[in-house]
């Protein structure tokens, strides 16, 4: 465990009376870091734990799986809906969805660090910005490491082996380390640095609008449709530019992974890519294959130089090798079937 974490207070809150007392302490703060854990957390995926960190580094883990009344009778709802306390959260849509649909809590006065990074990158000329995980965010905006050393190890465990990981009780030391690290990482350094750049760049209004949008993403259908339409237009503009300006001998790997072109190829629906042109159709297929290979590299911890099929299971290899016959598939339904089989086999191998 990181030494900085070991030297600061961490408390697990289960009792309603203790929760009310802690909320009275938290209500004196102007800024809090907040995060949630759960089982496929979202509209229906149950929230099991809520973490809050103060600016001084004290962390409270609210066990809402054991006591759902912590939000109402314990007054947690008051803190989360307060316009006087700023809540710093990294990528809050799923947290917001779970809080709203499961506990009737509507987040107010939020500083979303993922949204902040997106707005800042767009200000620097990017059209499509890929999401940063918490580790990447800290590397970009912080000089110290506060994310738990256990985070990547446990992420693999609960995403691949045990989907109900965050429902386990009692909380292990590793689980507590990850939970507290996820909030301690956000304040004060990451938050203060992003806030300063946003203010200096005059991006406050745009940032507020985007945060409001992301909070409501799984709450308001109209907001979700508006956000989807905006992204759809941008993706298609970039794809059309590739189609018009790039040589048809271009391959997906010609685009840097941090480029708008690569991001657009990842995001365009494969059915729309088929309609655009055979060139875009091929690039989309390549982007899927590269994503698969990159994921397997990460999973196996070894670098695959190109398409080295010997690293893949036989049934999976057959599906990838069929890519070589892609241009011979003139029938659109055949291409759709290929995509479905490819992605199905991929998911089966990665689950």
């Amino acid at each position: 465990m990181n030494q900085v974490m070991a030297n600061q207070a961490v408390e697990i809150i289960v009792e309603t009376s203790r929760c009310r007392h802690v909320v009275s302490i938290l209500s004196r703060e102007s800024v809090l870091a907040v995060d949630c854990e759960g089982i496929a957390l979202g509209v229906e995926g149950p929230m099991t734990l809520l973490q809050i960190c103060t600016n001084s580094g004290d962390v409270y883990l609210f066990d809402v799986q054991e006591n759902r009344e912590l939000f109402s009778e314990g007054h947690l709802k008051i803190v989360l809906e307060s316009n006087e306390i700023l809540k710093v959260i990294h990528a809050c849509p799923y947290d917001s969805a779970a809080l709203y649909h499961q506990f009737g809590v509507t987040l107010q006065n939020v500083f979303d660090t993922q949204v902040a990074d997106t707005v800042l990158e767009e200000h620097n000329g990017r059209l499509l910005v890929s999401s940063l995980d918490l580790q990447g965010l800290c590397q970009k905006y912080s000089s110290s490491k506060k994310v738990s050393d256990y985070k990547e190890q446990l992420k693999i465990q609960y995403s691949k082996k045990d989907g109900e990981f965050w429902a386990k009780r009692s909380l292990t030391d590793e689980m507590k380390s990850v939970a507290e690290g996820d909030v301690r990482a956000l304040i004060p350094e990451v938050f203060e640095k992003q806030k300063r750049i946003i203010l200096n760049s005059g991006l406050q209004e745009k940032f507020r609008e985007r945060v409001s949008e992301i909070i409501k993403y799984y709450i308001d259908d109209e907001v979700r449709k508006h956000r989807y339409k905006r992204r759809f237009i941008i993706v298609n503009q970039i794809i059309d530019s590739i189609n018009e300006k790039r040589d048809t001998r271009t391959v997906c790997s010609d685009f840097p992974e941090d480029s708008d072109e690569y991001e657009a190829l990842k995001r365009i629906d494969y059915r729309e890519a088929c309609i655009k042109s055979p060139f875009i159709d091929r690039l989309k297929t390549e982007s899927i294959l590269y994503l698969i290979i990159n994921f397997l590299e990460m999973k196996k911890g070894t670098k695959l130089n190109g398409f080295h099929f010997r690293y893949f299971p036989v049934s999976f290899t057959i599906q990838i090798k069929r890519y070589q016959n892609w241009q011979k598939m003139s029938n659109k339904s055949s291409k759709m079937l290929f995509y479905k089989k490819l992605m199905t086999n991929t998911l089966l191998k990665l689950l």
Side-chain angles (χ1 to χ4, degrees):
M1 183 185 298
N2 296 336
Q3 190 63 34
V4 67
M5 295 180 182
N7 292 335
Q8 292 167 309
V10 179
E11 181 179 354
I12 299 174
I13 309 295
V14 180
E15 298 298 325
T16 302
S17 58
R18 178 58 183 164
C19 185
R20 282 198 291 265
H21 178 72
V22 170
V23 166
S24 69
I25 296 172
L26 296 176
S27 297
R28 303 169 197 157
E29 301 284 331
S30 58
V31 178
L32 296 170
V34 177
D35 188 34
C36 305
E37 307 294 352
I39 306 167
L41 186 67
V43 175
E44 297 181 353
M47 180 187 298
T48 60
L49 191 71
L50 182 135
Q51 309 101 274
I52 294 181
C53 178
T54 66
N55 214 41
S56 60
D58 293 332
V59 174
Y60 300 93
L61 308 180
F62 297 89
D63 194 341
V64 298
Q65 175 176 268
E66 296 300 303
N67 185 359
R68 292 177 57 88
E69 298 305 315
L70 294 181
F71 285 104
S72 54
E73 299 300 318
H75 298 171
L76 262 181
K77 179 183 172 79
I78 295 173
V79 171
L80 296 171
E81 292 188 341
S82 170
N83 282 311
E84 305 301 318
I85 305 171
L86 184 66
K87 276 72 67 175
V88 181
I89 308 177
H90 181 64
C92 76
Y94 293 112
D95 295 5
S96 175
L99 286 166
Y100 179 83
H101 291 285
Q102 297 174 35
F103 300 99
V105 175
T106 304
L107 281 172
Q108 301 289 346
N109 197 13
V110 170
F111 187 102
D112 189 305
T113 53
Q114 179 62 71
V115 174
D117 179 66
T118 298
V119 168
L120 291 172
E121 286 295 318
E122 288 177 351
H123 183 66
N124 291 330
R126 287 297 301 272
L127 297 174
L128 293 173
V129 183
S130 58
S131 298
L132 285 176
D133 61 16
L134 187 58
Q135 186 69 54
L137 181 85
C138 291
Q139 290 173 352
K140 189 171 182 178
Y141 295 101
S142 176
S143 59
S144 60
K145 182 179 182 293
K146 293 184 181 179
V147 179
S148 171
D149 296 328
Y150 298 115
K151 186 171 180 65
E152 288 306 313
Q153 172 189 338
L154 294 192
K155 184 189 293 184
I156 293 172
Q157 182 175 339
Y158 69 73
S159 64
K160 298 291 181 287
K161 299 177 182 177
D162 187 357
E164 298 189 356
F165 178 81
W166 284 105
K168 290 181 177 296
R169 294 295 182 272
S170 60
L171 295 172
T172 66
D173 289 342
E174 292 83 2
M175 293 168 75
K176 287 184 282 187
S177 173
V178 171
E180 66 187 84
D182 283 357
V183 282
R184 280 197 176 130
L186 296 175
I187 58 174
E189 190 175 8
V190 169
F191 160 65
E192 292 289 353
K193 185 171 184 179
Q194 288 188 324
K195 178 184 176 183
R196 182 173 63 254
I197 301 172
I198 286 172
L199 287 172
N200 291 341
S201 303
L203 297 170
Q204 302 96 306
E205 187 60 33
K206 181 178 181 180
F207 175 65
R208 280 193 291 268
E209 290 174 359
R210 290 289 184 87
V211 171
S212 176
E213 181 182 88
I214 211 71
I215 289 172
K216 299 174 184 175
Y217 189 77
Y218 291 108
I219 297 173
D220 188 327
D221 287 342
E222 291 304 313
V223 169
R224 187 161 58 253
K225 289 175 184 176
H226 174 74
R227 182 176 172 85
Y228 174 82
K229 183 177 180 181
R230 185 176 70 239
R231 285 188 171 185
F232 179 85
I233 291 171
I234 294 172
V235 167
N236 276 272
Q237 287 174 342
I238 296 169
I239 293 296
D240 289 342
S241 177
I242 294 173
N243 206 21
E244 294 168 6
K245 299 177 181 179
R246 286 282 184 163
D247 189 289
T248 54
R249 292 170 295 182
T250 299
V251 294
C252 185
S253 58
D254 289 337
F255 301 110
E257 289 188 16
D258 62 350
S259 67
D260 288 329
E261 291 85 357
Y262 186 81
E263 195 66 27
L265 287 169
K266 280 168 43 181
R267 296 192 189 195
I268 189 171
D269 188 276
Y270 64 86
R271 291 162 294 191
E272 295 166 6
C274 285
I275 296 171
K276 288 288 184 182
S277 72
F279 173 46
I280 297 299
D281 189 12
R282 173 174 61 77
L283 289 176
K284 175 60 181 178
T285 309
E286 291 176 356
S287 75
I288 293 174
L289 296 176
Y290 285 130
L291 285 172
I292 293 168
I293 288 174
N294 287 338
F295 192 96
L296 290 175
E297 285 176 355
M298 178 182 69
K299 184 182 178 186
K300 291 178 176 293
T302 181
K303 187 71 177 175
L304 307 182
N305 297 315
F307 295 125
H308 290 308
F309 298 114
R310 65 182 178 275
Y311 290 98
F312 298 93
V314 173
S315 59
F316 183 65
T317 300
I318 292 171
Q319 290 297 320
I320 293 183
K321 280 191 171 182
R322 285 190 63 192
Y323 165 72
Q324 296 170 350
N325 297 320
W326 181 256
Q327 292 304 316
K328 297 179 182 178
M329 294 184 194
S330 57
N331 186 286
K332 190 173 172 182
S333 61
S334 297
K335 293 186 177 184
M336 296 301 103
L337 182 61
F338 170 81
Y339 270 122
K340 288 179 181 178
K341 286 184 177 180
L342 175 62
M343 299 312 294
T344 299
N345 277 274
T346 300
L347 291 171
L348 287 173
K349 297 302 177 185
L350 300 181
L351 288 177

